[in-house]
Amino acid sequence: MDIQKLGYDSINLGHGSGGLMTRDLLDNMIFNTFSNPFLNQKHDGSIVKFNNPIAISTDSFVVSPIFFKGGNIGELAVNGTVNDVAMCGAIPKYLSLAFIIEEGLKINEFRDILNSIKKAADTSQVQIITGDTKVVERGKGDKIFINTTGFGEVHPKANISTDNIKVGDKIILNGQIAQHGMAIMSQRQGLEFESDIISDTTNLNFLIKDLLDRFGKDIHFFRDPTRGGLSSVLSEIATDINNGILIFENKLPIEKQVAAACEILGLDPLYVANEGVFLTIVEASIADEVVDLMRKDDKGKNAVCIGEITKDHSGKVVMNSHIGGKRIVSPLMGEQLPRIC
Amino acid sequence: MLKTYKILISGQVQGVGFRPYVFGLANSYNLTGTVSNNEEGVIVYATGNTSNIFSFYNDLIENPPKVSKIQTHTISETEIKEFLDFQIIPSQKEGKLNLQLTPDFAICDDCKQEISDSDNRRFQYPFTTCVNCGPRWAITKTFPFERAHTNMLDFNMCGTCQEEYSNISNRRFHSQTNSCPNCGIQIHLTDAEGVSLNIPKASIFKEVAALIKKGHSIAIKNTGGYLLCCDASNKEAIKTLRLKKNRPNKPLAILYPSLNLLKDHFEITGYQERALTSSESPIVIIPKGNYKGYLMVDDLAPNLNQIGVMLPYSGILQLLANELERPIVATSGNVHGSPIIASAEVAKTELNRIADYFLHHNLEIAHSQDDSVIKFSPEFDHKVIFRRSRGLAPNFFGSVISDETILAMGSHLKSTIAFLPNDYLYISQYLGNLDNFEVYNRFTETVSKFIDLFEQNPTVILTDAHPSYHSSQYGKEFAKNKRIKQYDIQHHKAHFASVLGEHNLFESDAPILGVVWDGTGYGDDGQIWGGEFFRYQLNKMERIAHFEYFDWLAADKMSKEPRLSLFSLADEEIEGHCSKQFSKEEWKVYKTLKKKNTLKTSSVGRLFDAVASLLNICHNNTYEGEAAILLENYVTDYSIENCKLYCSALEHSQIPTKTLLMNLYEDFKRGASKSDVIVNFIYTLANLVFQVADLQNLNHIALSGGVFQNTMLIDMLKNIAKNDYTLYFNCNLSPNDENISHGQMMYYLNIKQS
Ligand SMILES: [Fe+3]
Ligand SMILES: [Mg+2]
Ligand SMILES: [Zn+2]
Ligand SMILES: [Zn+2]
């Protein structure tokens, strides 16, 4: 796509009018980028065929800054939804893509976002089959908001549900926590750490597929602990299953600089947002094999068993602390407020 | 003419030998009748001539048994009843329980004498008790206090003990905890692996003493839970214990074998002596300035000019003291941040990494308790409770009437609960920091035990307004499940209500200034409060002023690192002074953070931290409150005449926090000694109280919050107040967050919700 040809360098209200300018933007930027048989029909929607039950997940992406170390809002919008579909035990196939753009967004930036979306979609092997673009007045948005909805076919061997989780099951993480949240936060606040913290946003669907291919129903649950961090997801699960969760602080995988940054800021990494991280709850007997399989994949090279489901302390997450003693891990309530007197 | 009168007495009157005492007294006045316990307390029917009965009544009220505390008493004539003699009749349970719980009592002198006398049948028996002494709350399962309702039920009295129990003239008449070596509680000594040392009973304490003298540490099951003990004069032993307990600097309490030796080593005041020898027998924090003994006082209380001491309050500790004749370290048997351990099973698995040997016994503890801790201010001997537990908990002497059954969930870090199941308000012992899972369990178990004990389900739940206190979350869930009402009460308003409640000030006509200073609390405006002024009048409480806000940085880290409080309050110049406390990376990050930060605080606790860091006294706490404690301890002497102010209250009663710190720094830079700077700082804080009082035209002042554990500040306040102001402090409760549950209750019952 050639910006010179467009004759403007930022998005304006006219691009949302539905008239010629809209057409121009769509043709020259969006359809150009994502060209595929579904989109090329330029219809109001697309007709697709599935052979198995389908998993559908939708998510809206609002992030500031829209470009951050390790990625931008575009690939986040693809990976986030692809991963959510995968967490249902499904193989993501199609995405819808909707933009709400604030007047004034630079065409350059928009182009970079579109390219990232394209690249991320290709990497996860999903096709963008329908979309929408709206423009809002300056001040009524924050550069760009993106909504994606993902559609995937449920893996034939999958049976993912909290109902399957039982006492003794092991909890396994594929990778290091708190990286994405700390990357965004440090950039938003302009905090400079010794080395840069880089978002780990990535697609997890192939690793999920490999796990299901190999272990099928012995995999009881998947979940990606994005907003609210690991603590919130674990607390939710503990409440849902009416059993307890025990995790081990010294097992939690965390990159050194991320840990240092959390320490400096007084933040508990359990409450920091993640991308590119998922947890799986599996039959105890296969836990080691699951870890082994994950570690062979780049996206699971830091895989580790962090804990288990317990009969005790039903509804609560408890962490064996490395200084001795056990700590209660409660879900995030708003921001992390000081409690120590 | 013969008449019959009914006498009702309530208060701490059960499990304290009240009925036998009444029996003896009634006989000496030649009265007939009965005495019994009921749900209200003690009830007496006395028949005789009126003047005799009234003399008896007055005598009883004025000279009640030693460890009892009478709260209310009434006498009224009833229809004439004829009795053959005076009798004690068994307790009755009618309707709702309405009496006080009884705390544990330290071993009395008579019992001490018996266990130390080789001719006595209780020689060397560590669980020797009588109506005047022994565990009560520690072993209470249900109500009222009868043997069958306690863990003493596991032991059957032998014939001799039974005789004592039934003999009206015996000190053990109706003593529910009565037992002897033949029928009582067994002790045994094991190594860390649990292997019994097979020491004959008679020489166990000799052996324990020998092990301690050799430098070993021993976990001793006492009446409130396990204690970890080692020789207080052995540097190595102390070092090892500190290392294994992961407790590098926090002061350790010392158990002295006798008052005499304690007095040889320290100069103590009459107040301190009375507290040490009282039936509550707490740890008393005393100055160690003129120390004359041989202990490693600097290892026991590093960088402090004070130390916590106590005397043997149980048979076990007394027998050990008899053999050892030297002071030992006696600290709560727990693992970093977990509650004091009370069960042998847990002790065996948790304390075996710390202790070399165990002294166990087979009396089950129903309510584990730490030792209570108190301190007297140096000048006015004002008593401050630092930890309210064994001997003081669970009862609080206040009677409160409400139709509702109220349960207050308290705070988070120094957790307690308060319960109002009848006309008495019960406040639990100190439970600990709820972040810790075992403390949290102890907290929820205490809630269940209180509810079961009184057979009353709460109808109202009160919680702190802080959204992530575990006590608040638990309380909200509890209320939701039981479908009962639940209210949030702001932390500092609860502190203020607590002092108002302790002094019955809610009905006061005069308006009252509330001064609540502490470390943190969640404010009504979403900020972190901690330097607050309130006005109370006619059931209305409002915040009228506060310390000017400064940045709250880095969540809970700021409470642990005084250097961050200093950085937050620092202007450019002070920043220059404190930058060396940070790494380059930290400095860059914190500078940026301070520019963009939105969370603010008025915390006086953090101001103390900032001053400690500014004076290079403490930049990072190794235990909670360390910086403030070190500050107070830094000062050895001062005269209030030479003090000067670092700032004054502004016209709207606001306090210019940063100006205070800047002027303090100027003074320090010009060469004022650290000690003088600290004294001026405390003097300034004390004066600010009265400046605000004057600006607001108030002369009744109630003060609460953790900052008022500072006894120098209390003395300053009392010095300045003279007769112009009336000051009220927490007296039966600690000023720290232990009083929040009580304050929540008081606030709910007395403050009009707007
Ligand atoms: Fe407080
Ligand atoms: Mg989603
Ligand atoms: Zn006694
Ligand atoms: Zn006996």
Side-chain angles (χ1 to χ4, degrees), chain B residues 107-112 128-134 171-172:
Chain B
I107 185 170
C108 73
D109 290 341
D110 294 334
C111 288
K112 266 188 203 174
T128 301
T129 62
C130 68
V131 288
N132 296 319
C133 75
R171 195 168 97 248
R172 299 197 165 87

Side-chain angles (χ1 to χ4, degrees), chain A residues 184-197:
Chain A
I184 297 289
M185 181 187 311
S186 53
Q187 234 170 306
R188 182 161 53 218
Q189 306 241 32
L191 305 174
E192 289 174 55
F193 295 101
E194 236 153 54
S195 57
D196 285 339
I197 298 175

